[in-house]
């Protein structure tokens, strides 16, 4: 159950777009369209922002989008805003019927 | 409105036991699988366990297998995590979470978490 690989940090200026990658294996990310993404502000519980690779829950801004290619999933935040500064985590279903998270990415708005 | 409220956290010595609870409301608890996820101080999220609605199937992370037991009481709309043989590395905020839409393999609603500290 190795954690998925995410960059430790990503930064961008307001209005820009940034992309966070999430790399796994054919036993998790590459094998299923069950990747989800979470936003977590300090001291708060995580919030689901993308599920099943590219679906947004009701109420989540359309500035957040998800995709997948092979063993790597990606989260793109367009029109970056100050409120987007947070930690972001990916998660995937695995061939063992378990779930696995990425190590997390700190997004900084410059 | 979906609400999940965890309780039962606290300070426990290494080797000790603790039972966490998660009280659910605002949805038909008995129809949904549930998850436990934890987060060590200053660290990332770690999936802990998953239980189907009927309790017939339960999965655990390797890090807790054999030490932790997940259960639920659908009549009480409650989820539990019995933690035995606790180690310092089990120190974390523990969250209960509902499955996400469609596939159910993500985590849609989260509680506020309960802190477990394992220390002598």
């Amino acid at each position: 159950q190795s954690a998925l690989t995410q960059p430790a940090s990503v930064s961008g200026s307001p209005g820009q777009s940034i992309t966070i990658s999430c790399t796994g294996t054919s036993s998790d990310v590459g094998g299923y369209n069950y990747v989800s993404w979470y936003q977590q502000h300090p001291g708060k519980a995580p919030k689901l922002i993308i599920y099943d690779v590219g679906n947004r829950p009701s109420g989540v801004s359309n500035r957040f989008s998800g995709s997948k290619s092979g063993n790597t999933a990606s989260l793109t935040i367009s029109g970056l805003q100050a409120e987007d500064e947070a930690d972001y985590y990916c998660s995937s279903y695995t061939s063992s019927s378990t779930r696995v998270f990425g190590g997390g990415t700190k997004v900084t708005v410059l | 409105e979906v609400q999940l409220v965890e309780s039962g956290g606290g300070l426990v010595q290494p080797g000790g036991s603790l039972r966490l609870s998660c009280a659910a409301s605002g949805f038909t608890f008995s129809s949904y699988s549930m998850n436990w996820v934890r987060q060590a101080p200053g660290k990332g999220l770690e999936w802990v366990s998953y239980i189907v609605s009927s309790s017939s199937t339960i999965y655990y992370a390797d890090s807790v297998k054999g030490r932790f037991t997940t259960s639920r009481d659908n009549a009480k709309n409650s989820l539990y995590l019995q933690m035995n043989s606790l180690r310092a590395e089990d120190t974390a905020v523990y969250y209960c979470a509902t499955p996400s839409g469609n596939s159910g393999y993500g985590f849609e609603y989260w509680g506020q978490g309960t802190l477990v500290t394992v220390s002598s």
Side-chain angles (χ1 to χ4, degrees):
Chain A
Q1 291 181 345
S2 299
L4 307 176
T5 301
Q6 297 181 232
S9 62
V10 173
S11 62
S13 299
Q16 286 186 330
S17 293
I18 61 170
T19 297
I20 302 168
S21 61
C22 170
T23 301
T25 68
S26 58
S27 296
D28 38 64
V29 174
Y32 309 93
N33 288 323
Y34 299 145
V35 176
S36 50
W37 290 90
Y38 305 86
Q39 177 192 62
Q40 186 179 35
H41 288 107
K44 301 293 188 180
K47 174 187 177 182
L48 176 69
I49 54 175
I50 295 288
Y51 67 94
D52 297 351
V53 176
N55 295 289
R56 273 188 312 275
S58 174
V60 172
S61 172
N62 59 9
R63 297 186 299 104
F64 295 95
S65 62
S67 62
K68 192 189 84 166
S69 178
N71 295 337
T72 298
S74 299
L75 172 72
T76 297
I77 309 174
S78 58
L80 198 62
Q81 299 179 1
E83 67 205 49
D84 300 330
E85 188 160 292
D87 293 325
Y88 291 81
Y89 296 90
C90 62
S91 175
S92 175
Y93 176 75
T94 82
S95 58
S96 302
S97 299
T98 60
R99 283 78 168 143
V100 62
F101 281 97
T105 298
K106 181 176 182 60
V107 168
T108 301
V109 180
L110 301 172
Chain B
E1 178 192 5
V2 172
Q3 283 201 335
L4 299 170
V5 180
E6 301 92 341
S7 60
L11 175 64
V12 60
Q13 292 189 336
S17 298
L18 211 55
R19 188 196 196 205
L20 306 184
S21 299
C22 169
S25 61
F27 65 105
T28 307
F29 179 77
S30 59
S31 297
Y32 290 88
S33 60
M34 292 292 294
N35 297 273
W36 286 103
V37 176
R38 69 183 181 182
Q39 185 170 35
K43 303 296 184 182
L45 300 171
E46 180 186 14
W47 172 80
V48 172
S49 180
Y50 165 88
I51 182 170
V52 300
S53 57
S54 66
S55 303
S56 60
T57 300
I58 306 173
Y59 296 107
Y60 298 97
D62 287 345
S63 58
V64 307
K65 199 175 297 182
R67 301 186 300 120
F68 289 12
T69 301
T70 295
S71 62
R72 62 190 296 162
D73 185 336
N74 288 339
K76 294 183 177 180
N77 290 341
S78 293
L79 175 71
Y80 306 102
L81 183 66
Q82 176 67 44
M83 305 184 294
N84 298 330
S85 303
L86 282 162
R87 307 165 179 167
E89 55 264 36
D90 295 319
T91 294
V93 173
Y94 286 74
Y95 297 99
C96 59
T98 67
S100 59
N102 291 2
S103 72
Y105 292 119
F107 315 96
E108 182 153 12
Y109 295 100
W110 299 64
Q112 85 290 347
T114 187
L115 176 62
V116 172
T117 303
V118 184
S119 175
S120 54

